[in-house]
Amino acid sequence: LEGTQSLVGTTDPAVTMFAIMSIFAVAHSGLAGLRPYAEEIVGARAWRVVFAVVSLPLALSCISYFVNHCHEGTQLWDLTDVPGLHGLFWITNFVSFLFLYP
């Protein structure tokens, strides 16, 4: 974390979160793009292990940093008092999972 913050030159949580998410995106997408070539070299099962060893710690770092800093900074909107919005979000989230598995 200190390395990421020194890389971006600030300790601002929004900038740090952006940097952490960018690192995760590059690693995750880069390894996914290498999959066809890497599976030929090390095999499918070994590649999944390599992919998981890199992706999971980065994903968990993103999630834990977000959870620890989610209430910092300027609040752009507050929709907690809008009636029915919470239920609508739950239904939308449920429907989105239905589209994952055709």
Side-chain angles (χ1 to χ4, degrees), residues 77-92:
W77 54 79
D78 182 13
L79 302 176
T80 56
D81 295 333
V82 177
L85 196 61
H86 187 262
L88 175 68
F89 285 157
W90 271 102
I91 292 168
T92 305

Side-chain angles (χ1 to χ4, degrees), residues 8 13-15 23 26 32 34-35 40 43 48 70 89 93 97:
V8 295
V15 176
I23 292 168
V26 168
L34 291 175
R35 180 180 176 184
E40 292 177 3
R48 284 193 298 264
C70 64
F89 285 157
N93 193 14
F97 279 100

Side-chain angles (χ1 to χ4, degrees), residues 39-91:
E39 283 184 348
E40 292 177 3
I41 297 169
V42 297
R45 174 170 256 157
W47 182 250
R48 284 193 298 264
V49 170
V50 169
F51 189 83
V53 164
V54 173
S55 292
L56 287 176
L58 290 174
L60 291 174
S61 298
C62 290
I63 292 167
S64 67
Y65 189 84
F66 175 78
V67 167
N68 290 326
H69 298 278
C70 64
H71 295 292
E72 294 180 14
T74 305
Q75 187 172 355
L76 299 177
W77 54 79
D78 182 13
L79 302 176
T80 56
D81 295 333
V82 177
L85 196 61
H86 187 262
L88 175 68
F89 285 157
W90 271 102
I91 292 168

